[in-house]
Structure formats: structure tokens, C-alpha cells
Amino acid sequence: MLDLLFNPPWWMPTSILLVGTVLFWQANRTQDRGQRNAGLGILLVGLIFIATAWLINTPTETVVKQTRQLTQAVATRDWNTFERLLDPQVSFSAYGNKALLLAGAKLSAENIGLKSVSITGMETRRSGDLITSDIRCLSVQDRTMDQPVVTDWRFDWRDSEQGWRVYRIEPLQNANIGPQQIESHLAKVK
């Protein structure tokens, strides 16, 4: 319910503003003070609705933003940001802890010659204290592939004392590449 209040679909505040504008305009034509005041009130509610949605980030909006930051951090080799967004108990493939994942990500990015990563699609869903973001990425690598690679990923985020942190990363199957192919390109670290 709070997501609807703080992250409404575009048509909700637009509809409220439209109703308020029409009511206000009609009241001015007929010189009806009560209707004019109602129109102004509805306009004010619409503006407050928009301001609230713009100023307050929902957990889902935070996760979307941080998912983009996480993928950009890997592409730009910003390992401080990458590490900051990881939960202490993060898990991914053979990397059983945060330190191994960080070392493996650094080495894997170098081994494949990762040049860039772009998110081409994202879907998020919330279930209690868990927010899952499924993303489709287009990556350019100069050592393993001679053309851009499309991969799908799932990030499970949970709220911690430090904010929303990813605690599980999972490669997903798509039409071109599966989890086994992705995992075969991961660097082995100890």
C-alpha cells in the first residue's frame, strides 16, 4: 500500500490534477465559490501526492537504484561501491563469503576483459522483507566474446542495519547463455 502512495503509477496523480483543473475551470466559468475551492483542494492533493512520491523513496525504488549501482560498480571496477552493497553473508556460486566474492569479481572482470555493462531490463518484486530484482544485462568483453553478451541475473536484497544489501546473486538461464556457462568463466579464488 505504501508503494502505491510513494511510488504511484504516472496516471494516478495526473488524473487527480486533471479532475482538479477541470473542476476549478468549470467553477470559475460559473462563479461557484464552493466548486472552485473544491477544485483547488483537489489540485493541492494532487500536488502533495506528486511531491510525496518524488521526495520519498520506497524500498523497491532503493533496490532498483542500488541494483544499477552494483552493476555499474562491476563495469567501472568501483570495488568500494560493490563491497558496500554486499551483505556480510552474501552468496554467489562457489564464492561462499563476501571476501571471496569480492576477490572473485575483481579477478573475473579482468580475466574476461569486461569493458561495459548495461541493464536492458529489470523486474522487481517484494515479498515481506525480501526484494528480488531480475535483470537482463548486455556486457561487452574483449577476451571471451567477440560480440556483446546478454545475461540474466537475480539479486535478492534484504534490509539490514546498513540499509538494503544484496545477500544472494544467481545467474539465470536465457535463450543464449545459462548459469553453467557463466560460472565456467568465474575466476577460482581461495
Side-chain angles (χ1 to χ4, degrees), residues 22-188:
V22 168
L23 198 57
F24 179 75
W25 180 73
Q26 180 64 27
N28 269 347
R29 285 187 50 224
T30 62
Q31 298 297 312
D32 184 346
R33 294 182 84 156
Q35 189 179 13
R36 183 192 71 200
N37 291 342
L40 283 174
I42 292 171
L43 277 170
L44 183 61
V45 167
L47 291 173
I48 290 171
F49 199 37
I50 289 171
T52 303
W54 185 67
L55 292 173
I56 298 174
N57 284 330
T58 64
T60 303
E61 289 174 312
T62 300
V63 164
V64 166
K65 178 182 173 187
Q66 290 184 179
T67 299
R68 292 185 188 287
Q69 288 175 342
L70 187 72
T71 55
Q72 266 317 109
V74 173
T76 60
R77 315 283 200 287
D78 180 1
W79 301 116
N80 290 330
T81 299
F82 182 76
E83 183 178 18
R84 179 180 54 80
L85 294 171
L86 298 177
D87 188 83
Q89 283 78 42
V90 66
S91 67
F92 171 57
S93 189
Y95 307 133
N97 61 44
K98 187 175 181 176
L100 288 175
L101 175 55
L102 183 59
K106 288 178 182 179
L107 195 54
S108 295
E110 291 304 318
N111 288 350
I112 65 172
L114 185 64
K115 289 181 161 183
S116 68
V117 178
S118 301
I119 295 177
T120 61
M122 184 182 316
E123 186 178 307
T124 58
R125 62 192 167 281
R126 185 170 186 176
S127 176
D129 293 341
L130 170 70
I131 298 178
T132 300
S133 59
D134 291 343
I135 64 171
R136 174 160 284 179
C137 293
L138 180 69
S139 64
V140 177
Q141 308 163 14
D142 65 4
R143 295 196 186 118
T144 58
M145 301 284 181
D146 57 350
Q147 61 189 13
V149 179
V150 176
T151 55
D152 291 351
W153 298 85
R154 174 167 291 151
F155 297 105
D156 288 332
W157 298 80
R158 66 179 169 195
D159 199 9
S160 68
E161 292 175 2
Q162 297 81 26
W164 287 93
R165 298 294 179 254
V166 66
Y167 77 94
R168 188 165 156 258
I169 302 171
E170 175 186 0
L172 301 175
Q173 181 72 43
N174 68 27
N176 302 316
I177 291 184
Q180 299 81 7
Q181 291 165 300
I182 292 171
E183 290 174 358
S184 72
H185 287 23
L186 297 177
K188 308 291 187 246

Side-chain angles (χ1 to χ4, degrees), residues 3-15 49-50 53:
D3 275 350
L4 190 59
L5 179 62
F6 298 127
N7 188 20
W10 68 268
W11 57 266
M12 277 178 95
T14 304
S15 298
F49 199 37
I50 289 171

